[in-house]
Amino acid sequence: MVESNNKVTKYSSSSSYFIFEAIFASIILAAIGYSIFSSTDSIFIKTITVTFSLLILASIAFYLRSIVFSIFFYDSEIVIDFHLKSQKTKLNYTEMVGIKYISVQKSPDMNRIYFKTRNGKKSKKFQAVAFDDEFIEFIDWLKSKNPKIEVSVIPSDHYLNEKMFGPKYKKYIKKTL
């Protein structure tokens, strides 16, 4: 638990994993740009290559500003604190519509929360808050804040579905497939 502004954080996570993906994409882009730049003698093509590479790198950096954040689940509210821009978003649990647990091979487990805004429904994706039985405790804690929150687990055959929804879940999935 982390204390901040007299609030106790029960759960927290971050989306900083996306920084590594952006760095990897930037390195690949730089390598492709360098190979085009060094293989040609035309100053025009070199200039276009450098300009195009810099524009794409700038757009990756701009995009990172909106997806890299830490999320804190306080007793009274959810706070999303963006790392690369000085912005904090505060959400009430009544604004939260759903949460999704995403488990994909060769990638860290992720959560995606869905919440209502003035402009409709938005979502934020971040590394999983908790795993296995701790995730079930987290869901129970969230449901105590807002019982209308929809919970889903991807893939549909993930063992958490059976733990959360009971042994009848597998039979239901087999019937619907």
Side-chain angles (χ1 to χ4, degrees):
M1 284 192 211
V2 176
E3 286 192 41
S4 173
N5 298 335
N6 296 327
K7 298 177 184 178
V8 177
T9 304
K10 180 83 172 161
Y11 297 97
S12 64
S13 185
S14 171
S15 67
S16 60
Y17 174 77
F18 295 120
I19 290 175
F20 299 113
E21 289 180 346
I23 290 171
F24 183 68
S26 299
I27 290 171
I28 290 174
L29 174 69
I32 292 171
Y34 179 74
S35 65
I36 293 171
F37 181 83
S38 63
S39 66
T40 185
D41 291 333
S42 170
I43 293 176
F44 177 72
I45 293 178
K46 286 183 177 188
T47 305
I48 288 178
T49 301
V50 169
T51 305
F52 186 70
S53 297
L54 290 176
L55 283 174
I56 291 178
L57 287 173
S59 31
I60 288 172
F62 186 73
Y63 178 67
L64 272 177
R65 289 176 45 125
S66 63
I67 65 166
V68 178
F69 58 88
S70 291
I71 185 165
F72 301 98
F73 293 88
Y74 294 116
D75 282 331
S76 59
E77 65 188 1
I78 302 167
V79 176
I80 301 171
D81 184 12
F82 292 89
H83 293 253
L84 303 175
K85 58 183 177 178
S86 59
Q87 179 185 352
K88 284 187 181 184
T89 303
K90 295 181 180 184
L91 303 168
N92 291 324
Y93 286 100
T94 55
E95 296 170 344
M96 191 170 166
V97 176
I99 186 167
K100 189 180 286 187
Y101 185 91
I102 305 165
S103 179
V104 182
Q105 250 183 344
K106 297 183 181 179
S107 182
D109 291 351
M110 305 295 271
N111 289 142
R112 180 180 290 274
I113 62 167
Y114 298 91
F115 51 94
K116 293 183 279 186
T117 64
R118 290 184 213 143
N119 302 332
K121 197 172 163 184
K122 288 192 175 183
S123 70
K124 291 288 181 190
K125 188 176 178 182
F126 49 91
Q127 289 177 311
V129 172
F131 304 94
D132 302 329
D133 292 335
E134 291 175 3
F135 183 74
I136 295 170
E137 290 174 18
F138 173 63
I139 293 302
D140 291 341
W141 183 78
L142 280 178
K143 290 272 191 181
S144 73
K145 305 291 182 189
N146 180 0
K148 296 179 182 178
I149 294 173
E150 295 178 21
V151 180
S152 62
V153 178
I154 294 179
S156 60
D157 63 345
H158 196 277
Y159 68 92
L160 275 178
N161 280 314
E162 189 173 350
K163 281 187 165 188
M164 289 188 334
F165 305 115
K168 294 181 181 180
Y169 181 80
K170 281 188 178 178
K171 292 177 185 175
Y172 171 76
I173 291 296
K174 285 181 183 177
K175 285 181 185 177
T176 58
L177 294 177

